[in-house]
Amino acid sequence: KALEEKEFTSTAGGGAVEVTMTGNRQITAVKLSEEVVDPDDIEMLEDLIMAADICITDYSSIVFEYSLMERPILFFAPDIADYDDWRGFYYPYEEITPGPVCQETKEVTNYIRSLDNGFDKSEIRAFRQRFMGSCDGGATQRILALMRQ
């Protein structure tokens, strides 16, 4: 189902959050308290990762980097059957995603609202350890040690 334009409010991240999403699943505005963050104004993806209280994605590899933040990740995949048929996945999608897989707008808003009650980081930590366990700040030292051998 296509995502209609929706606006909703949550207190996730410690302050009021207003998110406007369009029919093509793009976030057009995020309002945190009195500050508006427009993702188009952020040049470096790393800056957006640092600023975001939650990652809402579909099949993007951004979840790997975002998992390092230990913040909530939500997967909006209303076309999962078509995508799987067309492109496929390396792993069973719903088994590998470190967060809920939503196929309808209401599921997305309900999950974001549920963050007001807290967030269990264990699923994100397990994902991060499995796929990003070597991101510990010591990669250069390991490469230099191998070169010296």
Side-chain angles (χ1 to χ4, degrees):
K1 295 181 179 179
L3 175 67
E4 317 94 36
E5 188 160 317
K6 295 284 182 184
E7 187 169 319
F8 57 92
T9 301
S10 173
T11 56
V17 178
E18 294 178 23
V19 179
T20 304
M21 298 166 65
T22 63
N24 62 357
R25 300 188 323 255
Q26 297 295 312
I27 294 176
T28 57
V30 178
K31 182 178 180 184
L32 306 172
S33 300
E34 298 302 315
E35 179 182 350
V36 175
V37 177
D38 182 348
D40 291 334
D41 292 341
I42 297 178
E43 294 181 22
M44 299 296 293
L45 182 59
E46 294 83 3
D47 294 335
L48 186 56
I49 289 172
M50 294 297 293
D53 291 322
I54 183 173
C55 177
I56 302 174
T57 186
D58 50 10
Y59 317 107
S60 171
S61 63
I62 194 168
V63 298
F64 295 99
E65 291 85 359
Y66 197 79
S67 71
L68 297 171
M69 305 304 296
E70 291 190 4
R71 295 182 188 149
I73 302 174
L74 180 144
F75 298 84
F76 185 62
D79 59 344
I80 189 170
D82 293 335
Y83 187 90
D84 190 23
D85 185 51
W86 171 67
R87 176 124 189 232
F89 298 101
Y90 292 114
Y91 301 97
Y93 185 71
E94 293 194 12
E95 291 176 21
I96 199 71
T97 53
V101 176
C102 302
Q103 294 188 4
E104 301 203 10
T105 307
K106 188 71 172 166
E107 295 172 288
V108 173
T109 59
N110 287 342
Y111 178 71
I112 292 172
R113 286 185 179 121
S114 78
L115 293 174
D116 294 345
N117 300 319
F119 161 65
D120 179 6
K121 296 180 182 183
S122 62
E123 200 172 3
I124 300 287
R125 287 178 176 157
F127 178 89
R128 186 192 70 217
Q129 182 58 39
R130 180 175 180 185
F131 293 104
M132 303 296 284
S134 294
C135 293
D136 59 3
T140 301
Q141 285 74 24
R142 287 191 293 273
I143 291 170
L144 289 172
L146 284 172
M147 292 173 62
R148 290 182 185 125
Q149 292 179 358

